[in-house]
């Protein structure tokens, strides 16, 4: 049974300042590059058929570092559907500023799958494009290991779809920078094998 590894990109300076970045095309910080090299150690020795990535710099650099570390020889395939949620309404602000400046709009967006907030892509739109991509992977790479590198909101909405969680229940789990989650397809159904694993958790993953 193959594993679809979901990787959240490594840390950026915006992450470290706890600022919302959405589709602002930030790059990895030095901390993010080290995190990515560490998480790649878990993937060494596993037979990876394909690596897919968001085209955004912080995700593609994460995918590139993983590819180098594990000896992956193919091209990394980028797909626009794997990009982060467009949240220009509160880009560059921290959580407290967003709540202060856009309280009603923010709560509408994060609790309503089909919100209509100008300047913020709905979570339903993010989920639809991410899940459509995932379904293609399941069809074309059955019983193979693939890596998908994407972003926090995008991956959280994808996992919420697999788990059958509706907003705001998708907030009940987090995805750290340079974290690894795994989906497996069995008997036509997708399930989560493990969630939000970082390099510190490797000893717990020996069975996987």
């Amino acid at each position: 049974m193959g594993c679809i590894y979901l990787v959240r990109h490594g840390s950026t300076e915006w992450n470290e300042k706890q600022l919302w970045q959405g589709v602002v095309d930030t790059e990895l910080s030095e901390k993010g590059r080290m995190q990515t090299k560490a998480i790649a150690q878990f993937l060494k020795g596993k037979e990876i058929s394909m690596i897919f990535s968001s085209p955004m710099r912080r995700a593609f650099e994460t995918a590139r570092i993983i590819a180098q570390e594990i000896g992956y020889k193919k091209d990394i395939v980028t797909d626009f559907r794997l990009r982060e949620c467009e949240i220009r309404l509160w880009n560059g602000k921290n959580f407290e500023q967003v709540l202060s400046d856009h309280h009603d709009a923010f709560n509408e967006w994060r609790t309503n799958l089909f919100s209509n907030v100008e300047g913020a892509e709905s979570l339903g739109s993010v989920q639809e494009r991410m899940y459509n991509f995932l379904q293609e992977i399941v069809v074309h790479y059955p019983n193979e290991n693939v890596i998908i590198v994407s972003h926090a909101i995008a991956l959280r909405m994808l996992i919420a779809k697999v788990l059958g969680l509706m907003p705001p229940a998708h907030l009940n789990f987090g995805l750290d920078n340079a974290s690894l989650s795994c989906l497996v397809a069995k008997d036509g159904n997708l399930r989560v094998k493990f969630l939000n694993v970082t390099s510190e958790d490797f000893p717990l993953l020996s069975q996987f």
Side-chain angles (χ1 to χ4, degrees):
M1 180 173 13
C3 183
I4 301 170
Y5 294 106
L6 306 178
V7 180
R8 183 187 174 193
H9 63 79
S11 183
T12 69
E13 290 186 3
W14 284 46
N15 288 135
E16 290 152 27
K17 295 176 181 177
Q18 298 185 328
L19 302 178
W20 289 72
Q21 55 194 333
V23 296
V24 177
D25 203 11
T26 54
E27 60 184 24
L28 294 184
S29 65
E30 188 57 36
K31 176 182 177 181
R33 296 182 184 98
M34 296 302 294
Q35 288 174 327
T36 302
K37 289 180 180 179
I39 202 74
Q41 297 306 306
F42 175 77
L43 296 166
K44 275 188 175 179
K46 301 187 183 300
E47 187 174 340
I48 303 297
S49 295
M50 293 294 292
I51 298 179
F52 300 93
S53 175
S54 158
M56 301 182 70
R57 286 190 297 173
R58 58 189 184 271
F60 188 79
E61 186 177 2
T62 298
R64 181 176 55 79
I65 291 171
I66 290 173
Q68 291 173 344
E69 292 292 315
I70 69 174
Y72 178 80
K73 302 301 183 183
K74 301 177 185 177
D75 290 335
I76 297 167
V77 178
T78 59
D79 195 294
F80 192 62
R81 289 171 291 180
L82 299 177
R83 71 193 185 280
E84 181 58 301
C85 181
E86 166 61 86
I87 47 170
R88 63 184 180 276
L89 185 59
W90 41 78
N91 279 344
K93 298 182 179 182
N94 62 32
F95 184 72
E96 290 74 19
Q97 290 172 320
V98 170
L99 283 182
S100 174
D101 298 344
H102 307 279
H103 183 274
D104 292 344
F106 183 67
N107 280 328
E108 167 68 12
W109 171 79
R110 69 174 175 172
T111 60
N112 181 358
L113 198 61
F114 303 104
S115 64
N116 185 21
V117 176
E118 185 176 356
E121 181 184 5
S122 73
L123 295 178
S125 171
V126 178
Q127 188 173 78
E128 180 179 19
R129 58 178 166 82
M130 290 291 293
Y131 195 67
N132 285 345
F133 180 85
L134 178 62
Q135 289 178 310
E136 292 177 12
I137 296 304
V138 171
V139 169
H140 293 294
Y141 299 93
N143 303 314
E144 296 180 53
N145 296 322
V146 302
I147 297 171
I148 298 173
V149 183
S150 187
H151 307 266
I153 299 171
L155 288 173
R156 189 182 295 120
M157 293 315 302
L158 178 61
I159 294 168
K161 176 72 172 180
V162 173
L163 294 174
L165 300 176
M166 291 289 289
H170 69 288
L171 299 172
N172 291 342
F173 65 91
L175 293 175
D176 296 325
N177 286 113
S179 64
L180 191 65
S181 302
C182 172
L183 303 179
V184 293
K186 185 176 182 180
D187 300 325
N189 296 311
L190 282 162
R191 65 184 180 89
V192 176
K193 189 171 185 180
F194 57 80
L195 179 66
N196 194 37
V197 171
T198 63
S199 58
E200 297 175 354
D201 304 314
F202 284 169
L204 302 176
L205 279 187
S206 57
Q207 59 182 310
F208 300 111

